[in-house]
Amino acid sequence: MSCANIQVSETPLVLYALRRADDALILGHRLSEWCGHAPMLEEDMALSNIALDLIGQARELYTFAAKVEGRDNDEDKLAYLRDVRQYRNLLLVEQPNGDFAQTLVRQFFYSAFADLYWRAMMNSRDATLAAIAAKSEKESAYHLRHASEWIIRLGDGTEESHRRAQGAIDHLWAFTGEMFAADDSECALIDAGIAVDPGSLRGRWLTTITDVTREATLALPRNDWMQQGGRSGRHSEHLGQLLSELQSMQRTFPGLTW
Amino acid sequence: MYTQALNTAETADRDLEDAGKAAQFQARIDAEERIEPNDWMPAAYRKTLTRQISQHAHSEIVGMLPEGNWITRAPTLRRKAALLAKVQDECGHGLYLYAAAETLGSSREELVDAMLAGKAKYSSIFNYPTLTWADIGTIGWLVDGAAIMNQIPLCRCSYGPYARAMIRVCKEESFHQRQGYEIMVTLCRGSEEQKAMAQDALNRWWWPVLMMFGPPDATSQHSDTSTKWKIKRFSNDELRQKFVDATVPQAQYLGLTIPDPGMAQDADGHWRYSEIDWTEFKQVLAGNGPCNRDRMAARRKAHEEGAWVREAAASYAAKRAQRQTAQAAE
C-alpha cells in the first residue's frame, strides 16, 4: 500500500459504518494511551480491556465498510491511510485523555449512548451490522457499568475528585449533542430499518446520565450549546496529532507487510 | 532485669523449637512438598521469596513501559490489538505476583513504595529503549524467551503460591514468545529495510538479554540457599546456555546473525558465546542504563498523578460503609 491517502466511495452505508468504526478506533486508541500509566493496576487492566473491545469493534466495522464499498480497501487502509478530513468520528472521542476524571466522563457519555445504540442496532435489517451490534452491546453494557461506578466514586469521593469530575462534565458536555444527530445520508438508512434514529435514544441517555450524576452529587450543565463537525471531517486540532502517531509506520514505510 | 532473664530463657526455648521446625521444613522441601502461606518457614526463606517475587512483579509492571511505547504506533490494527493484549497480560502477571508476595506478609503498597523509592530492583532488561517496531518482535522472541527459560523451573518452586502463579504466567509468556517470533518472521520475509530493522534490533538486544540470567555462577550471591530451598533449580549459567542453544537455530531460520563473531558450536552441540560485558550489566543495575531514569520517572508519575483517584475510591468506600451501617442501625 502506498502512503498517500486512499479515496473512499462514501455511499450512505459505507459512510455509516466508517463513522461508527472511527468512533470505536479513536476512543480505543485514546484509552490505550493509559496502558502502563493508570492510577492503579486494576485500571491499567480495565482501560486496556475496554480499548481492546473498541478496537475489535472498529476492525469489524472497517471490514464491513470495505466489503460494502467493494474496492480494494481493507481495515488497515481505512484506519491508516485516511487523513484528518476523511475521519468521521465524533468530536467527543478524540478529546485528549486529560486526567482520569476527563477520561472516565468521556467514556461515561459515550458508553451510555453506545449501550442504547448497539442494543437498538441488534434489530438492524443488515445482518452483519446486527451481528456486530449483538457483540458490541454486551461489551458496551460492561463499559457503562465501569464508567458509572467511577463517576459515582469520583463525584462522591473527595473534594478534589468531585471538583475534577465536575470540571470534566462541564468541559465535555458540548460534545454530547453530536451523538444524537443524523444527516440526510443516514435518514434513508433509518427509513430502511438498517440504522436507528439516534435522536430517539436521547431521552433514555439523559435519564441514565441524570441518575448517575445525581447519585455522584454532580450537576449537569445548563448550557445547551453543542459542538458538531466530526461526522463531516471538521475535527478538533487533537485528531491530527493522534493520527500522526497512529499512522506513523504506514506513512513512513509505505506498502509493506507487518 | 527479671523480665529480661525470662525473655532470654524464652528465646533459647524458641531457638530450640525453631531448629526442630527448620529441620522439618527442610525435610518437606527435600520431599518435594509445597510450602503454603500458613506453614512455618524460616525468616530468611520468607525474605528471599518476598524479594524475588516482588522483583518479579516490579519487572512485569516496569516491563509494560518499553512495549507500551509502541501501542499507539503499531503498524496494523491486528498488531495493535495483539500488543495491547500482551501488555495487559503483563499487568495481570504483576497483579498476580503482588498477590503471591502478599501471602508472605508484605502489602502491595509497601512493595510498590520500595520500588518507587529505588530500594527494590526490577529486571535490568527494561532499562533499554524500544526504538523501532522490530524491537517489539525482538522483545517477544528473546526477552520473553529468556523469561520462560527462567520461569519454567519456577513452576516447581517450593513455595506454592509462586509456583502456581508461574504455571499461568508461563502459558501466557509462551504465547507472547511465539507472537514475537512471528513478528520477526514477517520482518525477515519482508523488504530489505525490514530485514535490516530486524538485524539492528537483534544487535542491540542480544547481549542485554544474555545478562537477564544474572551474573555468572562464580559470582552469584543468592544461589546456594535458593538451591537448598528449591526456589532455584538451575544455575544462571546453565539457564543462559540452554537459552543460547535454543535461540541460535531460531536466528538461523530467520536469516539473522547473532552479534557475536566468536560464537561457535562445541563437540556436544552447545553454542559457546563470548565473554559478556559485565561492566555494562553493573552500570545498568546501578541505575545508569539508557532508560533507568525514564522508567522510574514514568512509574512515579503514574503513582503520584493517580493518588487523588485512589484517595477518592477509598473515601467513597468509607462513606458507603458508613451509610450502610447507619441504615442497618435504623
Side-chain angles (χ1 to χ4, degrees):
Chain A
M1 104 175 114
S2 120
C3 65
N5 293 333
I6 54 164
Q7 296 304 314
V8 184
S9 318
E10 289 183 336
T11 60
L13 188 55
V14 170
L15 178 59
Y16 190 79
L18 273 183
R19 285 171 169 173
R20 275 79 210 169
D22 290 347
D23 287 347
L25 177 63
I26 298 303
L27 187 55
H29 181 98
R30 279 290 187 225
L31 291 175
S32 80
E33 292 171 357
W34 274 104
C35 186
H37 308 279
M40 58 191 81
L41 298 180
E42 286 79 357
E43 285 308 304
D44 278 299
M45 299 283 287
L47 297 176
S48 299
N49 239 336
I50 299 169
L52 279 167
D53 286 344
L54 290 167
I55 292 168
Q57 292 172 13
R59 293 183 65 188
E60 286 167 358
L61 287 160
Y62 283 135
T63 302
F64 172 73
K67 198 174 156 207
V68 173
E69 192 199 11
R71 291 186 174 187
D72 68 341
N73 287 326
D74 57 29
E75 58 170 23
D76 286 328
K77 286 187 188 174
L78 290 169
Y80 290 91
L81 296 178
R82 281 178 306 138
D83 201 358
V84 65
R85 296 282 288 118
Q86 296 173 289
Y87 258 75
R88 302 288 177 232
N89 58 280
L90 298 164
L91 297 174
L92 176 68
V93 297
E94 73 197 38
Q95 297 308 306
N97 285 339
D99 62 11
F100 189 73
Q102 204 164 313
T103 293
L104 265 295
V105 167
R106 185 185 65 199
Q107 196 62 39
F108 173 54
F109 286 160
Y110 178 78
S111 297
F113 170 77
D115 183 45
L116 295 167
Y117 171 76
W118 289 120
R119 204 179 309 155
M121 281 297 284
M122 287 164 69
N123 297 320
S124 169
R125 291 222 179 111
D126 184 287
T128 309
L129 286 178
I132 294 172
K135 181 170 164 283
S136 305
E137 193 277 326
K138 286 193 195 84
E139 294 166 348
S140 304
Y142 153 72
H143 302 167
L144 174 60
R145 203 177 76 203
H146 170 262
S148 301
E149 285 171 1
W150 269 113
I151 298 305
I152 294 166
R153 269 186 217 118
L154 296 182
D156 195 16
T158 61
E159 254 176 58
E160 180 177 10
S161 67
H162 180 93
R163 175 176 57 73
R164 286 176 185 261
Q166 188 61 58
I169 288 176
D170 296 344
H171 175 64
L172 293 170
W173 183 248
F175 299 112
T176 58
E178 202 177 26
M179 294 190 287
F180 305 101
D183 62 11
D184 291 346
S185 88
E186 292 192 3
C187 288
L189 295 172
I190 294 167
D191 291 343
I194 291 170
V196 296
D197 177 5
S200 69
L201 306 173
R202 191 164 191 280
R204 274 177 290 159
W205 177 84
L206 196 58
T207 306
T208 305
I209 298 296
T210 309
D211 289 351
V212 173
T213 45
R214 187 180 296 142
E215 191 179 341
T217 71
L218 295 163
L220 293 180
R222 297 233 173 93
N223 178 5
D224 59 0
W225 161 252
M226 290 293 160
Q227 197 72 42
Q228 301 207 22
R231 292 298 190 213
S232 54
R234 283 204 293 271
H235 291 278
S236 64
E237 290 173 351
H238 306 297
L239 185 65
Q241 302 289 344
L242 183 155
L243 291 179
S244 67
E245 193 172 341
L246 179 111
Q247 300 179 337
S248 63
M249 286 291 288
Q250 292 288 356
R251 301 286 189 178
T252 311
F253 303 100
L256 301 182
T257 302
W258 299 96
Chain B
M1 294 305 282
Y2 181 77
T3 50
Q4 224 172 19
L6 184 70
N7 279 349
T8 309
E10 263 186 358
T11 310
D13 282 351
R14 207 164 47 230
D15 284 350
L16 207 62
E17 198 187 347
D18 281 3
K21 283 180 181 165
Q24 268 180 348
F25 172 82
Q26 190 60 47
R28 289 185 62 196
I29 291 202
D30 294 342
E32 296 286 332
E33 275 183 45
R34 287 272 156 82
I35 307 301
E36 296 300 333
N38 292 331
D39 296 347
W40 185 90
M41 61 186 84
Y45 178 83
R46 188 183 298 277
K47 195 176 157 195
T48 299
L49 273 167
T50 304
R51 191 193 66 237
Q52 182 168 336
I53 302 174
S54 65
Q55 273 185 16
H56 194 162
H58 302 328
S59 300
E60 297 283 357
I61 301 307
V62 176
M64 294 170 73
L65 298 170
E67 290 180 280
N69 181 37
W70 279 90
I71 291 171
T72 54
R73 289 178 294 162
T76 68
L77 293 181
R78 176 175 159 257
R79 294 290 187 205
K80 191 183 187 72
L83 181 58
L84 179 54
K86 187 197 166 185
V87 179
Q88 188 197 30
D89 280 350
E90 279 155 14
C91 184
H93 296 171
L95 270 173
Y96 213 56
L97 286 161
Y98 281 126
E102 283 187 319
T103 64
L104 291 160
S106 307
S107 70
R108 195 211 299 185
E109 287 70 24
E110 288 171 69
L111 299 170
V112 169
D113 285 348
M115 193 259 286
L116 296 176
K119 289 181 199 150
K121 292 200 176 351
Y122 55 87
S123 176
S124 59
I125 195 72
F126 301 119
N127 290 315
Y128 290 86
T130 51
L131 301 180
T132 72
W133 174 249
D135 291 30
I136 299 305
T138 307
I139 287 182
W141 172 35
L142 298 181
V143 175
D144 292 331
I148 292 168
M149 211 52 95
N150 259 323
Q151 289 167 17
I152 293 273
L154 287 172
C155 298
R156 294 188 290 132
C157 162
S158 60
Y159 189 57
Y162 193 31
R164 288 189 289 275
M166 280 303 103
I167 292 172
R168 176 172 157 174
V169 168
C170 280
K171 278 186 191 153
E172 293 184 353
E173 293 291 5
S174 134
F175 182 68
H176 298 165
Q177 201 256 351
R178 276 177 283 164
Q179 207 170 55
Y181 193 65
E182 198 252 322
I183 291 178
M184 297 308 279
V185 170
T186 309
L187 292 174
C188 292
R189 284 183 187 155
S191 69
E192 285 307 314
E193 216 171 6
Q194 285 172 304
K195 276 181 227 166
M197 195 187 270
Q199 182 64 55
D200 169 63
L202 176 60
N203 294 348
R204 282 181 288 113
W205 289 93
W206 176 254
W207 293 106
V209 165
L210 291 195
M211 294 174 200
M212 280 176 72
F213 294 93
D217 294 350
T219 61
S220 180
Q221 293 171 15
H222 307 296
S223 288
D224 290 348
T225 41
S226 288
T227 308
K228 186 181 85 179
W229 285 329
K230 295 195 177 165
I231 296 171
K232 198 173 172 71
R233 290 181 183 260
F234 297 98
S235 77
N236 293 351
D237 286 336
E238 282 169 341
L239 289 169
R240 188 163 19 239
Q241 189 59 56
K242 264 187 173 190
F243 171 78
V244 171
D245 289 342
T247 307
V248 171
Q250 294 169 354
Q252 286 170 339
Y253 177 80
L254 291 171
L256 296 177
T257 308
I258 289 183
D260 179 1
M263 181 178 267
Q265 203 168 17
D266 68 11
D268 300 326
H270 293 298
W271 288 94
R272 297 298 172 189
Y273 47 90
S274 305
E275 184 73 22
I276 295 172
D277 178 7
W278 293 110
T279 346
E280 176 180 327
F281 181 67
K282 281 178 199 148
Q283 281 296 331
V284 177
L285 281 193
N288 298 325
C291 297
N292 294 57
R293 291 166 196 82
D294 288 344
R295 300 295 182 237
M296 289 301 285
R299 285 315 305 160
R300 285 184 188 131
K301 183 168 184 275
H303 190 76
E304 282 159 20
E305 289 182 0
W308 69 270
V309 178
R310 297 190 299 277
E311 281 158 22
S315 161
Y316 175 73
K319 278 188 205 175
R320 211 169 87 150
Q322 219 167 32
R323 280 175 211 148
Q324 277 165 351
T325 317
Q327 257 174 5
E330 274 170 19

